[in-house]
Amino acid sequence: MADASTTDSTFPDIAGLRYEDAREELIAIVAKLEAGQAPLEDSMQLWRRGEALAAHCATWLDGAQAEIERSTRPASGAGEIHADDEIFDEDDS
């Protein structure tokens, strides 16, 4: 799979694509390649672009997953009860 640096240098236009747009283009490329009607050189260029689009989509998905994990992770220390907390102290009254 192509990495982000390949995407940026070989296909600089991909960097600005929204996830949905990149995915739709990738689907179209896969359909063209599966049809097998393009000459070899064109097929290889389509393959390279498809790899770059797949990497771009993976970056979007990884970022979304990280954001969801950050926003759903409980704040450290908030709401946690430990054995040495005051609520466990004996009542001396």
Side-chain angles (χ1 to χ4, degrees):
M1 181 183 271
D3 61 17
S5 62
T6 303
T7 300
D8 293 343
S9 63
T10 309
F11 302 102
D13 62 311
I14 290 176
L17 290 177
R18 295 176 336 136
Y19 169 79
E20 292 81 4
D21 297 333
R23 184 179 54 95
E24 287 301 317
E25 185 178 346
L26 180 56
I27 290 168
I29 286 174
V30 169
K32 287 178 189 176
L33 290 172
E34 287 178 341
Q37 300 300 316
L40 179 60
E41 294 82 13
D42 294 346
S43 293
M44 292 307 299
Q45 184 65 9
L46 285 169
W47 178 268
R48 287 185 206 96
R49 185 161 179 88
E51 285 285 309
L53 287 163
H56 182 69
C57 288
T59 299
W60 267 105
L61 292 173
D62 291 346
Q65 181 178 2
E67 186 174 334
I68 289 168
E69 288 173 1
R70 275 192 309 274
S71 66
T72 59
R73 185 179 313 131
S76 61
E80 294 180 18
I81 299 175
H82 299 282
D84 61 347
D85 285 350
E86 194 174 308
I87 65 166
F88 293 108
D89 290 344
E90 290 186 29
D91 194 18
D92 292 327
S93 333

